Amino acid sequence: MTTSAPLYGWYGDDFTGATDTLAVLAQAGLRSMLFMGVPGAEALAAAGPLDAVGIAGAARAMPPEAMRAEMSAVGRFFDKLAPPVLHYKVCSTFDSAPHVGNIACGIQTLHPFVSNRWVPIVGGQPSLGRYCAFSNLFAAAGTGGAVHRIDRHPTMRQHPVTPMGEADLRLHLARQGLDGITALHYPLYGTTNTTTDAATTDALDAALQALLAHGAASHAMAPTLLDLTAPGQLATVGRLLWQQSQHARLLAVGSSAVAQALVAHWGKPASTAAAPLAPADGPVLAWAGSLSPLTAVQVQAATTYHHIAVDAQRLCGDTAYAQGLQDAICAGLQSGQNVLAFTGPTDGAPLAAAASSTDIAQASAHLIARVVQARAEHGAPLRRIGIAGGDTSSHAVQALQLWGLSYKTTVCPGVTLSSAHSADPSRHGLELMLKGGQMGGADLFERLLGHG
């Protein structure tokens, strides 16, 4: 399936989610690379021939003006690369707001760089317990947890930055400025979990054509929300996306279900099985910057790590304290211990007043990079790191000065172990797990050690 242009391009609005899409594509046998920003000619040449090209960004934590600046450069890059499908990868919970991570703003910024009016928005990702029915989003609370409507989800309804107060994704995105959203609802996809029959296919195609015909005289985009409630519907969604992309280059929006849908349509699901996670080569450093209740459970369950509680306020403003933390982490690693540092409470207690989440993420990232550098200078470079928290992950990858990530293996659904690409030999090949606050089971950090 190799062509002169890649089959697939994607922009992840945070680094953790971008690696999940990388895993889907790599497991399907596509030659895939996730770049840390718009790549130059040197990085593209170093990556070699690619079927899928990704760019990890930070739009999820940005105000609209900053989003437009970052994503315009991304759009220009993919306009030249010209993949049939450009995927704007957003969080599977769609948590966003008019003032930060505005998905409507992202769509409006990227759409001028493709030629297809239709903008499909894939609403669910069953593999992660995300389901969209009649435009309403439902999500499990943690891996295998109870499923809640997103506006009643115990974590997402009270997210500290982007609380979800509306379950109907059409209304949610309209409030961010996306006008004219239509929908293709659940009954059109068939009533079973298996591939749809010819009659259902015809009815779905006719419904889509009717939507596209409406307003066709104008050049405005035509956003359409697609329900997704079961794995058997992936190939149906993928067929719609690929069929339309062959008429004109397409912008598709959603979680990694966009990649899963196309892979299912191409008939290439998981042709490359995830390699077993080998035991770590030396001590592992883990950093928990997420404040989610699930991450707190994961920290508590990481019993084979040496735990270091981090005062987030002092980390941001006290140089001596930050140096002391670095020394303590390095001492633990030098003694052969796995070390887990965490900035949030693990007992359900409320956080004390602290610096902004961005300042904490940046300070955490710089400390992680200093630890990595110190271990390399000591002749014992770290070989595996795990980071929980989208903002912390994004800033850490930047602080480590990596130019790309390729797929290594899957730790658990939605959580990928990547291999770092860097001009620095001590960081090239570093195994890196980046995870969002809602991802993974209680034993995630223990799994990261590769003990089986």
Side-chain angles (χ1 to χ4, degrees):
M1 296 183 70
T2 303
T3 61
S4 57
L7 287 173
Y8 194 96
W10 82 100
Y11 168 79
D13 69 355
D14 73 4
F15 281 46
T16 59
T19 60
D20 184 43
T21 301
L22 171 68
V24 171
L25 297 165
Q27 285 182 322
L30 301 182
R31 297 170 298 180
S32 308
M33 180 67 70
L34 177 62
F35 292 97
M36 306 297 102
V38 174
E42 186 176 346
L44 282 171
L50 295 171
D51 302 307
V53 175
I55 294 176
R60 187 178 174 195
M62 291 179 174
E65 183 177 351
M67 289 181 69
R68 283 189 284 268
E70 172 164 301
M71 297 178 75
S72 292
V74 170
R76 288 191 293 271
F77 169 78
F78 281 118
D79 189 28
K80 293 178 181 178
L81 202 62
V85 176
L86 172 56
H87 174 197
Y88 173 20
K89 197 281 174 194
V90 302
C91 183
S92 61
T93 52
F94 280 79
D95 54 304
S96 51
H99 67 287
V100 61
N102 186 317
I103 294 172
C105 175
I107 293 171
Q108 292 157 354
T109 302
L110 289 176
H111 186 256
F113 298 101
V114 300
S115 48
N116 203 313
R117 289 180 60 247
W118 190 47
V119 181
I121 303 169
V122 180
Q125 186 176 350
S127 64
L128 294 182
R130 312 293 191 246
Y131 311 97
C132 187
F134 300 99
S135 297
N136 281 261
L137 183 62
F138 299 79
T143 302
V147 175
H148 305 265
R149 204 174 70 188
I150 199 68
D151 59 337
R152 297 177 180 175
H153 190 281
T155 301
M156 302 315 301
R157 71 183 179 192
Q158 54 187 359
H159 189 283
V161 180
T162 51
M164 290 294 285
E166 175 56 64
D168 188 323
L169 293 180
R170 295 168 300 179
L171 298 179
H172 176 63
L173 296 176
R175 290 172 181 173
Q176 297 178 20
L178 189 63
D179 298 325
I181 309 172
T182 58
L184 293 174
H185 278 158
Y186 171 66
L188 285 167
Y189 301 88
T191 57
T192 70
N193 290 347
T194 58
T195 304
T196 52
D197 58 23
T200 301
T201 296
D202 291 344
L204 186 58
D205 287 349
L208 175 57
Q209 290 308 312
L211 291 179
L212 294 176
H214 180 71
S218 74
H219 295 289
M221 63 176 147
T224 302
L225 183 65
L226 307 182
D227 282 356
L228 183 57
T229 60
Q233 297 166 346
L234 285 167
T236 299
V237 171
R239 181 186 63 81
L240 290 179
L241 270 56
W242 190 244
Q243 181 175 276
Q244 287 298 314
S245 76
Q246 300 310 289
H247 300 311
R249 289 181 51 237
L250 180 77
L251 174 65
V253 183
S255 68
S256 294
V258 172
Q260 291 174 335
L262 284 162
V263 163
H265 170 64
W266 292 331
K268 296 173 70 66
S271 61
T272 302
L277 182 57
D281 180 13
V284 170
L285 170 63
W287 187 284
S290 166
L291 302 180
S292 79
L294 176 58
T295 298
V297 170
Q298 291 165 340
V299 169
Q300 285 185 314
T303 56
T304 57
Y305 288 77
H306 171 55
H307 286 209
I308 297 179
V310 177
D311 184 322
Q313 181 76 43
R314 293 185 66 190
L315 176 63
C316 293
D318 187 334
T319 303
Y321 176 76
Q323 183 61 52
L325 275 177
Q326 177 181 328
D327 294 341
I329 292 170
C330 287
L333 295 168
Q334 177 63 26
S335 69
Q337 293 178 300
N338 303 306
V339 176
L340 172 55
F342 55 96
T343 59
T346 60
D347 57 1
L351 275 176
S356 76
S357 59
T358 299
D359 290 342
I360 295 169
Q362 289 177 337
S364 300
H366 288 306
L367 181 55
I368 292 167
R370 291 198 301 272
V371 169
V372 170
Q373 183 64 28
R375 297 304 300 149
E377 292 173 353
H378 198 269
L382 285 168
R383 304 316 308 157
R384 186 175 294 175
I385 297 176
I387 303 175
D391 285 355
T392 306
S393 295
S394 299
H395 288 296
V397 171
Q398 293 168 339
L400 289 169
Q401 298 181 321
L402 310 178
W403 62 258
L405 295 175
S406 55
Y407 176 71
K408 184 82 174 182
T409 192
T410 297
V411 182
C412 64
V415 182
T416 299
L417 187 71
S418 302
S419 182
H421 295 258
S422 173
D424 184 336
S426 71
R427 300 179 186 187
H428 189 76
L430 173 67
E431 295 174 347
L432 196 58
M433 181 196 80
L434 309 175
K435 81 134 200 131
Q438 296 304 304
M439 295 297 140
D443 63 346
L444 178 68
F445 288 119
E446 293 295 323
R447 282 175 174 263
L448 180 62
L449 302 178
H451 292 162

